[in-house]
Amino acid sequence: MKLTEAKAQFISSWGAFGTHWGINRTMAQIHALLLISPDPITQDDIMEQLSISRGNVNMNTRDLIGWGLVDRVLIPGERKEFFTAEKDIWKVATQIIKERKKRELDPMLKLLTQLEQIEGDKKDKDVKQFVDTIAGIRKFGGQADKVLDVMIKADESWFLGSLLKFFK
Amino acid sequence: MKLTEAKAQFISSWGAFGTHWGINRTMAQIHALLLISPDPITQDDIMEQLSISRGNVNMNTRDLIGWGLVDRVLIPGERKEFFTAEKDIWKVATQIIKERKKRELDPMLKLLTQLEQIEGDKKDKDVKQFVDTIAGIRKFGGQADKVLDVMIKADESWFLGSLLKFFK
DNA sequence: ATATATTTTCAATAAATTTTGAAAATTCAA
DNA sequence: TTGAATTTTCAAAATTTATTGAAAATATAT
């Protein structure tokens, strides 16, 4: 297989993969393209390589920057903006985990804590099942939260960092 | 807060949560409803409680059964079919991980392994970045695969099971 | 076997999401 | 400043995804 074909296949698969994770296809494709581009590239490069409109590129690169996965790069003497992606997959994963935790897990845990405190007779089986379910999810989520914190902080801690390097 | 209101909020939030994970809103809502229902319920119950059509309920319950999260239950003397969900959140998570690994991670790793073997001069920086990126993702994915296998097998292993019970 | 209840299917419809492209805003060199 | 290059915005259009509902298929009681 040649590079051109392999690139196309990677970008396409990464895009499809993204849709299973609540990420839109184009955003994932742009990310894929940036991941395999050795040097920073422009909006026009992305437009051309993925055959998508300027507006689309603009919105999705901004989103990717919001996720902390892509950076704007200014190249001296160049008028246009360039974009580049973090290439270390461990850092990419950590960043995604950090963001999703903040955007999804933390608010969900907050809600569950509220829902657990409903009024009602705990001998009533509907009440009991509700409280048990909510408590179970909250407890599980709380543990997941802690495990993810360890992963995120691994990068900042010498000891954990060394330990987890074995997995890199 | 009363049970009725809390239920509605849980179902609604769980549905929204699901959409961030590539699961459609209704499927997540049906799952939420079943999680907090102490006894098995029918298609008609689900239709009524979520205000959705019969066809919709039918398709989504079938999907949930395919995910191994919901079971059909036959109640003696009853003509209708009843549905019930696994209530142990650890088992729910394990089951989801198992399925997603099979449906998404494994095929992706297979593809990456193929893409890594492209023809081309490794001194060319485009080739190099492509191979490095693919290799990095594959390696990371491979490690994730192993970690998830441990989690999945924990349920089947007495020792790991006991160990992980501390986290439940 | 027949009638009735129940489930399943799927084409049509509706809703949600994504994409476009052109106008407006911004940036920057001269 | 001015004007050309570049980026951003966002309403409208296109596309994708989800939902409905009625007909067909299936299951069950008598």
Side-chain angles (χ1 to χ4, degrees):
Chain A
M1 194 188 293
K2 284 186 188 145
L3 181 62
T4 312
E5 192 194 340
K7 272 186 176 180
Q9 208 171 334
F10 174 61
I11 290 169
S12 156
S13 304
W14 202 248
F17 198 65
T19 60
H20 289 135
W21 291 86
I23 293 158
N24 89 45
R25 193 179 311 271
T26 302
M27 188 167 136
Q29 288 186 349
I30 294 175
H31 189 219
L33 175 61
L34 288 168
L35 279 176
I36 58 177
S37 301
D39 300 309
I41 61 178
T42 65
Q43 272 201 351
D44 293 85
D45 295 330
I46 299 172
M47 285 169 66
E48 194 191 346
Q49 297 218 38
L50 303 181
S51 306
I52 56 178
S53 73
R54 183 176 304 285
N56 201 359
V57 172
N58 193 275
M59 287 182 140
N60 284 114
T61 46
R62 195 140 42 78
D63 257 4
L64 284 164
I65 292 170
W67 275 90
L69 298 172
V70 166
D71 283 320
R72 254 181 251 276
V73 176
L74 293 174
I75 294 190
E78 291 279 3
R79 187 75 177 271
K80 290 182 181 175
E81 290 180 335
F82 287 71
F83 297 95
T84 188
E86 170 59 55
K87 300 290 199 300
D88 179 336
I89 300 303
W90 179 267
K91 282 191 189 159
V92 172
T94 299
Q95 188 59 35
I96 292 172
I97 288 168
K98 195 192 263 180
E99 284 294 324
R100 298 197 73 158
K101 191 169 116 48
K102 184 172 76 190
R103 297 178 191 200
E104 298 161 30
L105 187 57
D106 293 349
M108 176 55 79
L109 290 177
K110 201 175 156 202
L111 174 70
L112 292 173
T113 305
Q114 284 170 22
L115 294 181
E116 224 175 327
Q117 291 148 9
I118 56 162
E119 312 155 16
D121 180 8
K122 289 204 177 155
K123 277 166 198 150
D124 179 83
K125 75 177 170 181
D126 285 334
V127 174
K128 189 171 185 320
Q129 184 61 62
F130 184 80
V131 172
D132 286 356
T133 298
I134 300 296
I137 297 173
R138 193 183 52 71
K139 207 170 159 192
F140 181 84
Q143 290 298 341
D145 200 59
K146 284 181 194 165
V147 170
L148 296 179
D149 269 341
V150 170
M151 282 189 68
I152 292 167
K153 290 203 180 103
D155 274 343
E156 298 155 16
S157 145
W158 177 83
F159 175 72
L160 279 170
S162 312
L163 188 68
L164 285 166
K165 278 220 176 67
F166 286 112
F167 291 103
K168 284 201 188 186
Chain B
M1 195 188 291
K2 285 186 187 146
L3 180 61
T4 313
E5 191 194 340
K7 272 186 177 180
Q9 208 172 334
F10 174 62
I11 290 169
S12 157
S13 304
W14 202 247
F17 198 64
T19 60
H20 289 133
W21 292 85
I23 293 158
N24 90 45
R25 195 180 308 273
T26 302
M27 188 167 135
Q29 288 185 349
I30 293 174
H31 188 219
L33 175 61
L34 287 168
L35 279 176
I36 57 177
S37 301
D39 301 309
I41 60 178
T42 65
Q43 272 201 352
D44 294 84
D45 295 329
I46 298 172
M47 286 168 65
E48 194 192 345
Q49 297 218 38
L50 303 182
S51 307
I52 56 177
S53 73
R54 182 176 304 286
N56 201 358
V57 171
N58 192 277
M59 288 181 138
N60 283 113
T61 46
R62 194 140 43 75
D63 257 4
L64 283 164
I65 292 169
W67 276 88
L69 298 172
V70 165
D71 284 319
R72 255 182 251 275
V73 176
L74 294 173
I75 295 190
E78 292 279 3
R79 188 75 177 270
K80 291 182 182 174
E81 289 180 335
F82 285 70
F83 298 94
T84 188
E86 169 61 54
K87 300 291 199 297
D88 181 334
I89 299 303
W90 179 267
K91 282 190 190 162
V92 171
T94 298
Q95 188 59 35
I96 291 172
I97 289 168
K98 195 192 266 181
E99 285 294 323
R100 297 198 76 158
K101 192 168 116 48
K102 186 172 75 191
R103 296 179 192 200
E104 297 161 30
L105 188 57
D106 293 348
M108 176 54 79
L109 290 177
K110 202 176 157 201
L111 174 69
L112 292 174
T113 305
Q114 285 171 20
L115 294 182
E116 224 174 328
Q117 292 147 8
I118 56 161
E119 312 155 16
D121 179 8
K122 290 205 178 155
K123 276 167 200 149
D124 178 84
K125 76 178 170 181
D126 285 334
V127 174
K128 189 169 185 321
Q129 183 61 60
F130 184 81
V131 173
D132 285 356
T133 299
I134 300 296
I137 298 174
R138 194 183 52 69
K139 204 170 159 195
F140 182 83
Q143 289 298 342
D145 200 60
K146 284 181 195 165
V147 170
L148 296 178
D149 268 341
V150 170
M151 279 190 70
I152 292 166
K153 290 204 179 99
D155 274 345
E156 297 154 16
S157 145
W158 175 84
F159 175 71
L160 278 171
S162 310
L163 188 67
L164 285 166
K165 278 219 175 67
F166 286 113
F167 291 102
K168 284 201 188 186

